[in-house]
Amino acid sequence: MWKVVSATGKAAGTHVTSGDVIYLVNQYGSGTYLDTNGVSTKSGAKYMVSATATKDRGPGTGKWHIFGKTSSPTDGRIRTDDIVHLLNDYGSTNGGFLDTNGGANQSGAKYDVVTSHYTDRGTGTGSWKVLPSN
């Protein structure tokens, strides 16, 4: 489970709006940040993605722009069950879109996670669904 935290100082509990800049904080253990880290060798990928202890391991590597595909009503807010795309801020928003890309080599893992030039490099590979928190 990942917690959405504003990277621009919006107060906790404030609605997330399409285009906001956020951090994604993993809720396992002490909490780590989703981060781009190194060039990926996967076909169609830009950067590898990992979880790191700090908000930004490098300039903008842990910041993500969240874009809603659509929502109802169409007021720009991101809601439960919305599909979103996440654009990394590394290199002034040139870090690519969060994307699954092929099988993972790590034990217990299903897919590698990287960034891509495209919102959906393949059918749904870069589409993420917002689920309610537990």
Side-chain angles (χ1 to χ4, degrees):
M1 182 167 32
W2 297 85
K3 179 179 178 181
V4 175
V5 176
S6 174
T8 61
K10 284 175 101 174
T14 303
H15 292 285
V16 177
T17 303
S18 187
D20 279 356
V21 183
I22 61 170
Y23 291 107
L24 291 169
V25 185
N26 191 285
Q27 298 303 285
Y28 176 76
S30 61
T32 53
Y33 296 84
L34 195 66
D35 188 271
T36 54
N37 193 345
V39 175
S40 176
T41 59
K42 289 278 194 174
S43 177
K46 290 186 77 164
Y47 298 107
M48 295 181 292
V49 174
S50 62
T52 59
T54 58
K55 286 182 179 179
D56 283 302
R57 183 194 47 73
T61 58
K63 290 181 181 157
W64 300 87
H65 297 253
I66 187 168
F67 297 104
K69 191 170 180 180
T70 189
S71 193
S72 182
T74 54
D75 57 4
R77 290 184 181 169
I78 304 292
R79 294 178 173 78
T80 298
D81 293 325
D82 283 354
I83 301 297
V84 298
H85 298 284
L86 297 160
L87 175 64
N88 188 260
D89 206 31
Y90 178 64
S92 298
T93 67
N94 196 23
F97 290 92
L98 189 64
D99 185 67
T100 55
N101 189 321
N105 295 327
Q106 299 84 4
S107 175
K110 189 166 183 176
Y111 297 110
D112 272 342
V113 180
V114 296
T115 63
S116 169
H117 297 276
Y118 305 103
T119 55
D120 276 313
R121 179 191 48 76
T123 305
T125 60
S127 293
W128 302 89
K129 188 172 188 174
V130 178
L131 298 175
S133 62
N134 294 344

